[in-house]
Amino acid sequence: MHIHATLKMKTIAALLLGALGFAVNWLNPTLFFGVNIFFGSFFVMLALLRYGPRAGVLAAALAGGYSAIYWHNPLGMLVWVGEALVVGLMLRRSRNVVLLDTLYWFCLGMPFFLLYHVLHQTELSLAILLTLKHGVNGIFNALAAALLFQLANLSQPFRRFGEQPPRFHHVLATSMVAAILIPGVCYVVLEIQRDITQEEQRVHQRLHSTTTLTRQTIETWLAEKTHDVQTLASLVGDPQTVPATTIQKQAALTKLLSPHFVKMSVQNSKAISVAFVPAVDEQGRSNVGRDYSTMPYHRIVRETMRPAVSDIDYGTISKVPRLALFAPIVIDGKFRGYCTGVVEISRLAEQLRIISGNRAMDITLLDRKRQVIASTDPARRMMEHVAPNQGKERRQLTEGLYQFIPLSRGFSDLQRWQLASFGMDSPLNADVPWSIVITTPMKPFLEGLQNNASRGFALLLALILFSIATAQAASAVFTRPIAQLEQISETLPIDVIRHQEAQWPHSGIREVAGLIGNVRQMAATLQSYVHELQTLNESLERRVAERTEDIRRLNEELEERVTERTTQLKSALLHMESFSYSISHDLRAPLRAVNGYAHILLEDFGPNLPAEAQRYLGQISSNGTRMAALIDDLLTFSRLSRHPLNRETVDPADVVSAVLEELEREREGRTVQVSVGELPPCQADPSLIRQVFANLLSNALKYSRKREDALVEVGSFQKDGATVYFVRDNGVGFDMAYADKLFGVFQRLHRSEDFEGTGVGLAIVHNIVTRHGGTIWADSAPGQGATFFFTVGSGNWLHQNPATPVNGF
């Protein structure tokens, strides 16, 4: 059963640690693009060190399940299970887990990782980075787990039963490796983060400068085109009054002077075209007289009376994408119509290609509907709608700078980052609500970062080898004399007794050399003490032999004296029994005669005697009766000391019930409420425990006689593992200042005129309880009743005023 429970506990612990490893792997933040820190194997190593290889392998399989789910391959699980299995098997020979884990990664783990990526045709630089990174992670996690495990095992509460504390050599070596490796890991991580930050700043500056140049170019281009349309608007006059032929000639002349416009037109205030260049469309239909009132820009220009630029859309005539510019015709502050110029968008794309030049970046111009106006990206089509995330995960780095990562589940993290890009999305200006989107691929940036990270991880692995070799050598030099001293101390007591000289080690470290010297001096001192003790022991053995003979003679004399005293005691007991017999027969006979004659005188001659004589005879009779009761109680008290204890299981509830039936006469003519609570069984003499309840209940009924609503309660409670029985009444009570007289023979706290009695009842109760190894005490106050507590069979349990509450009055 114990083995089964231990195995179950180990399995549960392994599953819990494996689940923690899985959760940490799943929630683990990335070190940089797609490269995670992976502290999940930390919990695997804890399970291995704490509960053995089986628990370690189970935890590794559970924690490694992350790689099968997230990477879509079992590579991580195989490596972690192999690490737990190989290191767990080697732990039987050596407890230096850091050294064993380092051997595993250099001999098996990292070669397996590299071979896997090479076979799957991963880029060599990326494969090297992943291999180095996982090697550093695995060794670092083993180091962290070993350090925590060893430090915890230094304290006894954290150590398993029967487990030995860690060796000083291993603790020192692990601490030295941690002291070297942890700062190295922090330095490499900070350097990688610094490189990322600096490169992101450079990318931000490059994209920001390109955005500024693009904005200036587009604004200049729009300003030129808008100026030409505004010039036409200022020349045509009022379309409602100027002849259409005049306006047509002016529009044709303006178009001739502005060849970048493919179409120009003039509309009156009702958005009816009065002039159009060309005058007819491709089908030979006239463009003059067309109604453009449904177009949104008619309303915008009419309301604002300012130039406007349209979004890219299809023309109403040519049905091809177009971009139109509008300028209002305002005469005397009134809107009289507007002029329209349609430009060729391909020329705008040429401007963007000039700006991008040979740089690996794409510039895209979007209208207010986020439709492509022009782009240097050949994958972007004109009028294509571009969503904010572009079908990718969008992460904001700084103000205006984003990363766009593909959302495809078919790629690993690093492959997704290889296809990712930096992007900047900026508005053109307040007058023209267009957007400038500039993107640049992240792959060149990642290549430099991967090379730097690979060099950093390679440096860490070299640092690991150096720190382990240094720590092993240094800790061996430091701890070897201490280990030798430990071996000497194991046999030192026997060597000291046998007067054998030990081969003391030497150390170049001052504190260790001092310790060896102190132990050596202590051994020499012990040898001198042992010699003295041996001499003293021989002398003591002689004296013990002499004293043993003396004790033997004294024992013989003592046995003779005990026999003599026993004989005397038996004789005294016989005299005591004879005395008791004399009291019970010789003393009772004359007392009965006196009582009888006094009773006869009262009955036969009472009427003839004076009242004073009658009173004297009555006192003689009552005092005789009282003296007879005293003799009976005294005999009962003396017999208790000779009564043998016959312990058996007694049910106090039955005893109390029987006693209450016997005392029924004392309740005649009175209103007495008797409450009997739970009374657990006890080991006692049945007749004696009955005497205890009889005396206590009789007193409770007697001293509550003057109460109209007399209450008597019998119950028990538990205190410090013992059962305390109690009898409580609401009678006259007594002053606790005289409580020390309660249990003495013939001691009474009330007058005989008020309450009859001999003063022996409580003394009998005290004698019985004491003989049972129990304790009795009382709690009372004048006019508030009294409670008597007693225990059976726990003589060392003494209470003066119990604090445990019980149900009472």
Side-chain angles (χ1 to χ4, degrees), residues 633-701:
D633 288 346
L634 183 61
L635 288 174
T636 301
F637 182 77
S638 65
R639 282 196 298 269
L640 285 175
S641 300
R642 301 191 305 275
H643 186 282
L645 282 180
N646 297 317
R647 286 183 181 267
E648 59 182 72
T649 302
V650 178
D651 188 352
D654 295 339
V655 174
V656 170
S657 177
V659 170
L660 288 174
E661 289 182 3
E662 294 178 359
L663 298 176
E664 186 64 30
R665 294 182 56 188
E666 298 189 19
R667 291 189 283 172
E668 292 180 356
R670 299 172 54 191
T671 301
V672 181
Q673 180 181 348
V674 179
S675 173
V676 180
E678 182 179 358
L679 299 172
C682 61
Q683 293 292 322
D685 188 299
S687 61
L688 295 182
I689 205 69
R690 179 188 182 92
Q691 185 71 42
V692 170
F693 279 108
N695 288 6
L696 292 178
L697 286 171
S698 177
N699 281 355
L701 292 172

Side-chain angles (χ1 to χ4, degrees), residues 112-290:
F112 180 75
F113 256 108
L114 186 60
L115 178 62
Y116 175 85
H117 287 292
V118 170
L119 293 178
H120 284 74
Q121 297 180 350
T122 307
E123 280 188 31
L124 182 60
S125 61
L126 184 58
I128 293 174
L129 171 63
L130 291 174
T131 300
L132 295 175
K133 176 260 175 188
H134 280 90
V136 171
N137 278 151
I139 298 172
F140 185 79
N141 290 341
L143 171 66
L147 188 61
L148 177 63
F149 180 77
Q150 290 172 358
L151 292 179
N153 273 4
L154 293 177
S155 177
Q156 179 64 39
F158 292 97
R159 198 181 308 144
R160 288 185 300 172
F161 177 76
E163 185 177 8
Q164 295 296 324
R167 290 187 176 275
F168 183 42
H169 169 63
H170 294 157
V171 175
L172 182 60
T174 304
S175 302
M176 292 177 67
V177 173
I180 298 174
L181 185 57
I182 292 176
V185 171
C186 294
Y187 173 78
V188 171
V189 171
L190 291 176
E191 281 295 305
I192 293 174
Q193 295 294 341
R194 184 180 64 83
D195 291 343
I196 293 174
T197 302
Q198 290 179 351
E199 187 61 26
E200 287 177 353
Q201 291 175 352
R202 286 194 292 269
V203 171
H204 184 273
Q205 292 173 358
R206 185 162 61 250
L207 295 183
H208 184 268
S209 63
T210 303
T211 300
T212 302
L213 179 59
T214 303
R215 181 182 294 110
Q216 293 173 353
T217 302
I218 299 301
E219 287 176 346
T220 303
W221 186 84
L222 287 175
E224 292 176 356
K225 308 306 178 284
T226 303
H227 178 266
D228 292 343
V229 179
Q230 285 179 314
T231 301
L232 176 61
S234 65
L235 295 176
V236 297
D238 189 349
Q240 278 69 231
T241 58
V242 176
T245 55
T246 304
I247 297 176
Q248 181 70 24
K249 291 179 181 180
Q250 191 65 47
L253 178 60
T254 303
K255 165 122 183 9
L256 182 63
L257 296 175
S258 304
H260 41 267
F261 285 103
V262 295
K263 296 177 183 179
M264 295 197 78
S265 62
V266 179
Q267 286 78 23
N268 60 20
S269 59
K270 296 181 180 180
I272 305 298
S273 62
V274 297
F276 210 106
V277 181
V280 294
D281 59 15
E282 289 80 355
Q283 287 77 29
R285 294 174 298 182
S286 175
N287 289 328
V288 178
R290 292 180 181 273

Side-chain angles (χ1 to χ4, degrees), residues 394-398 400-404 421-425:
R394 175 173 170 171
R395 296 183 183 179
Q396 183 171 357
L397 299 179
T398 58
L401 181 63
Y402 300 90
Q403 289 174 342
F404 297 98
S421 60
F422 288 110
M424 183 172 286
D425 193 339

Side-chain angles (χ1 to χ4, degrees), residues 424-544:
M424 183 172 286
D425 193 339
S426 303
L428 181 63
N429 56 44
D431 295 331
V432 183
W434 290 355
S435 299
I436 301 172
V437 177
I438 301 179
T439 59
T440 183
M442 289 181 58
K443 188 172 183 179
F445 166 62
L446 286 175
E447 289 175 352
L449 183 62
Q450 288 174 5
N451 293 333
N452 291 340
S454 296
R455 286 192 293 268
F457 287 135
L459 176 63
L460 284 178
L461 289 173
L463 188 63
I464 288 172
L465 293 177
F466 170 77
S467 61
I468 290 178
T470 304
Q472 290 294 323
S475 61
V477 171
F478 182 78
T479 59
R480 187 181 296 110
I482 299 178
Q484 294 174 354
L485 187 62
E486 179 191 13
Q487 294 176 354
I488 293 174
S489 64
E490 291 179 357
T491 59
L492 185 61
I494 298 176
D495 294 340
V496 168
I497 294 174
R498 295 177 179 177
H499 301 284
Q500 294 179 353
E501 184 65 27
Q503 297 297 323
W504 299 98
H506 300 279
S507 174
I509 299 174
R510 178 178 177 181
E511 288 78 3
V512 178
L515 176 64
I516 295 172
N518 292 338
V519 175
R520 187 172 184 175
Q521 183 179 0
M522 180 185 66
T525 305
L526 284 175
Q527 281 185 342
S528 63
Y529 286 160
V530 166
H531 179 71
E532 293 178 3
L533 286 174
Q534 289 176 341
T535 304
L536 182 61
N537 186 47
E538 294 175 357
S539 174
L540 185 61
E541 288 178 353
R542 291 192 300 270
R543 296 178 62 185
V544 166

